[in-house]
Each structure stands twice: as C-alpha cells, then as structure tokens.
Amino acid sequence: MMRTPLATKPVSLDRRQFLGMAGALVLSANLTVKARAASLGKFVNAWLRIDPDDQVTILLSQSEMGQGIQTTLPLALVDELGADWSRVRLEWSDFDPAYRHPQYQWMFTGNSESISTFFPIMRTIGAAAREMLVEAAAARLSVAAASLRVDKGRIHHDPTGRMVTFGSVAADAARLDVPKKPQIKPASSSDLIGKPQPRVDIPSKVDGSAIFGIDVKVPGMAVAAIRRARSQGGSLATFDATAIKAERGVLAVVEILSGLAVVANDYWTAKQALDRAELTFAPGPLAGYSTEGQKAEYIALLKSASFDAKVKAGDATAALAAANDVLEATFEIPAQAHATMEPMNCTAHVTRDRCELWIPTQGVEITHAVAKQVTGLTDDQIIIHRTLLGGGFGRRLLADFAKIAIMVAKAAGRPVKVIWSREEDFRYDAYRPPMVHDVKASLGSDGLPVAMTHRVVSPSHMLYIFPRGVIKAEGDWARPIMPPAAYDGMAVEGLTETPYAIQNYAVEQHRVGTPLAVSVWRTTGHGPNNFVLESVVDELAYRAKDDPLSYRLKLAASDPRAVGVLKAVGALCGWSNALPAGRFRGLALAKAFGGYIAQVVEISVMNKDVRCHHVWSAVDIGRTLDSGIATSNIEGGVVWGLSGLRTEVTFANSEIEQTNFDQFDPLHLSETPKITTRFVDSGGEPTGVGELGPVPTHAAFCNAVFAATGERIRTLPISRSGYQLV
C-alpha cells in the first residue's frame, strides 16, 4: 500500500460547491471518444479518485511532519466512504485553491488546524461519494438504494446476494448530482475513526525508504552549499569567483541573498570549496543588535510605550488602585530557534516554461507565490512536489529556503538541491520572538483575583506567514510584512481567552519593531503566555493559602471542560496523595488551539540541578480521533516543552551565539521523564493536538520548582535563575 467549517456536523454542498472545493471530473469538450470514456471511468475531485480497476486514491492537502495527519485525515474520508483502507493509495497534492483553509483562504499546515478544519470536509466528501456510488449501484441492480450495504469498496444487495464494486459504478456515479447534505455516519458506526490505527508513515521511516527533502534525487541533479553573512541579513562584499570555480568539482558559483552558493556534484565538495573561499561581508540590519540591548529596550517600553487594548472587562486599573496588596511581576521570554532535525533544504529545477520544486514545506501556497515572483511563470507552470518534513515547528511555513533554491537552480541551468548547514540553519532562522510581560493582580476576601492586568511587549509572530491575500499585500512574499493590528493577536493568545473568570481583567499589547527575523514557533503565543498566566495563578493560590488544584477548580468553575481536565489530571497523578521524600509537583492548565490540557510535573532538586521524573497530562480535544497518534503528539510536545526550559538563542555584536547543538541542547533520551497521558472525551468538535502538549509544560515545571525551593522563576531559560535541567 502506498501511503506516502470547524464542526463534525455534515457540511452542506451543492454540486458547484462540491466540485469547486474539491476539483472537477476530468472532462473536456474536445476529448476524443476514447479519452472521454477513460475520463468517465474516474470519479475525481481534489481529494478522491476512484478508478475502474477499484483503485482508490486520496490526495493529501496537509503536510506530514510527524503529527500523523497523513493517517488521520485520509482515514476520515475512507471511513465515511466505506473503502478498503488496506488498498488505498495516498498522494501529495500540488498547490490548488481547492485545498485552502476555508477561513483564511490560504493553503498551509500549521496552528494545529488540520483536524479542526479538514476532518469535517473529509467526512462530507466521503459521505457524498458513498451516496453517489450507492445510487449508481441501485440503478445498475434495479433495487432501492436503501437496500444496499457498503463494505470495503463493495456494494452488496444482501437479499439477492449480488454485489458491485466501487470501480464498476464510478463512471455512473460521476454523472450524478452531488448530494447537498450527505448523511454522516454516527460515531458509533465508524469502523476506523476513534480507534488507534497503525500510522502509514512509520514503516518507511523505520526501514529508511521514507523520502524527506534532503533525500530527494533528480536526474542530472547537482548539490549546492551556501554561506551567508554571520550577522543575519548582512551583504556579500567581496569574493573571488574565479578562484572558487577553479576548485576541483565546482560547477557554478551563484550570488544569493546575503551570501554565496557553490554548486558541485556533491554537498561535501561544495561545502569544502566555500570553507576555503575568502568571503567578506558588509553589516546588515542587525548592526549593533544584542540580546542584552533588546531586553533593556523591552523593559523600558513596558513603562513608556503606547499599548493597544486587547481585552477590557470591568475596570482592572481602578480595582488595582483600590487594593491593599498587589502582586506585580515581570516575565522575560527568550528568542528560540526551531532547530529542526532536518535543516532547511529544497531541490529546484527551473526552465523557460517550468519550475519544479521538491520541498519539505508547511507553506505550500506561499512557496508557490514566491516561485511565481522569482520566475515570472504562470500558476500551472509551477509544480510543487512535497516530501516528508524532518520537523516543521512553524519554520517550514516560510519560503526563504525555496527562494534561494530557485535562484540557484535558475542560474545553474540544471536541477540543484540546496542544503543549509546547521550553522546556516541557526543563523538564518526566523526565531520565536522575545517578549516581556508585566502582570499585576489583587485578591478579594475569598482569595480569588479581583483584578488582573497584562502588558505585553512583543514583535508580531506573523511577519512572514500572514495570509497576504487577506489584505491584498504586494511586494516580495519571502520578506516580512506587518499584518494589520486587528489580524495580529498571536502575541496575546491564551491571555485573551482564558478559562478563568476574573471580573476586572485587561490585556494590552505593544507591537515592537525588530530587525531580527521572527515568526511562529511551536505553541505560537500560547506557550509563552501560558507560562506567564499559570505562574501568576500559582502564585495567587499560594498567597490565598490554597492548594493549586483546588484554587484553579474554583477559578475555572464556569468552564466545564477546564474543570474536567483539572479533575482528571488530579486523579491521574494522585494529587492528594503524599509524595515520596524529595519529590515536588507543579500544575498548569491551558486552553489552546480549541482544546484543553491540565498538566502536572514531578521533579526533584539538588543543588539547583532539577530532574524531571514524571509528567501527567489530561487532555480534552473534543472527540479523540486516534488515541495512539494523539498520545504521541502530546508526549512529543512534553519533550519539546521541557527542552525549551534550557534552550534559547542570544545575540552579541550583531551575531547569534548558538550555531549548533553543542550550544543549543534539547532534552536527551536519557533525560526524558515518564510521561502519562489520558484523554477526556467531552463529545465536542475534534480539535488539533500537535501543539497542545507543550503549552503548559514551562509553567507546570516552574511551579514545581517553587514547590521545592520557594523561588519563583520568571525568566526563561531556567539557567537565568541559576537552575539546570539534568
């Protein structure tokens, strides 16, 4: 087998909408009779194709980066259709407006929205196709459609024992009107969805046959290494092209943005030639930039900048002014690198009338747009072949690595795979933006907060990934653009829609400009903001002399889903039980990406060395479609969250100080704690889980440190408070 509207209720489709959303039957007025017959033998739309030989092919609009979407979304369609999952073929789609996110009108994979957006669409397409096939079979067999049963690609008439296959009636089905409101199966009738399924991407990853971008091989392909200014955005000042071209095995030398590409038959030859080249660079936009300077600037802005109100409930300012005791805390969040295991790469082949890309991308549409801009070709002349992604985390939503590959291949006149070194990957990342928060809160006589204010200083998280069609933006789509403030809420998400009831509550943001390339990082704004909010809530519980779990249950009493996961995680970890000597626990709650998660972290501390022993998560993502895949997402997210407690990127003298994993050290396998996950099925709409797991991890961990030491951590990574995760 080759398997390379946010509601579960039926989606209403007329024929035009169905075919417009999902493509169209392959027919043309000038087809020959033979070709017309062959085309009518297929029931085709953007996601589904059924051939006369019973081959069912599903096209994948969403990219696979380890989150399991390559399994879950096709399964949803197959489950509704009634096809034989073991005989389904999967193919990656190219760019097409049919695959756009219906709300943003943008084709991408990110923000944990693949399930919430496309699961109901897959079900509707599968149900509609099933009803059309059954109607065609009923006509073929001269029986009532209601008397037919669908099972694994076959349509049975049990009273007479007759049967037809999908392929045999696909051509007839394709001529029928698409049902406007196909009947979706109840959850109890699902054969595949709701039950753990083997992931289709795992076997090839185990045996080494999986194709990631860096594995691509194209006939006649060369390989390029690149070298750019050490200070991000600097320009190439001098180089000796003749000397570089004279190096053995060098095929071409191409100037690129901020640097140089050397093309050879293999990567090592190209890299060695660059290592020996004498390149000089001129300063760029980071001239004078440093992390220490950035922090001082942001702290000053907390006091002096103008702020836009994002939430204003009651009068928090007046309530705080009248309070006898006010908690005030400042939090600092560092810049972070994505540090994907597979560094940025792209293979491109550009001719006069065609641009083909082989690329591990989350941002199919922005890549397509950039290719058009660089080449001047038309939509149908740009072909994007997606591969598996060796980590995305938001980094591969951008198209900068595609643009460089297109430029190099165009200049070289042949297919070229451009591979970034790990150092280039770190230096030219689009980092999670640094942020500072100022929080004030006061308690009432019942110990619950009367008022709370948040002031956030942060660059936009969306400079590179904002869907530009929304505002009809012009210019280079590989460069940043500031979205309108009304569309730019990511820096305060998680603060503007908390599960807590606080009568007087205000959130304000100052969007600061930055010369540093910044963008989304797994958890987007939810992660850093949850660290702030849940650290403050924990401190308020301590001031109120209340248990952290009991306190949150009171504060979130009006949100049943929040209460559900809090109670579940308390039971899961045995919160009320006595702990072993030397063990301490912290708790955090998050409402993010449409779901809820309550998380408990258990640690021990010795001489400021912190060891994490166990992490428990109770998760509500509405309807859990595949508990195995969802658990993997949560548990991988926990590891990501723990890693972020000790990693950061810092800048001095205009340059990044971490350029490889010896300086940027994620969690090691031997350091990974025991992780236990339980899902609370609230019966709601299914939501994404890829980014939910790490959202509360920072806060839960640091709240455990407070339980152990009495010291609050308000600046990340924890090394800035003298602690070390071991």
Side-chain angles (χ1 to χ4, degrees), residues 473-495:
E474 301 295 336
D476 185 348
W477 285 40
R479 299 298 303 153
I481 182 172
M482 183 76 81
Y487 294 96
D488 197 9
M490 195 171 283
V492 292
E493 63 184 357
L495 301 177

Side-chain angles (χ1 to χ4, degrees), residues 44 61 113 158 165 235 250 557 606 612 615 640 673:
V44 182
S61 65
E113 293 196 32
D158 291 333
T165 66
S235 59
V250 170
M606 182 173 291
C612 185
V615 178
W640 176 268

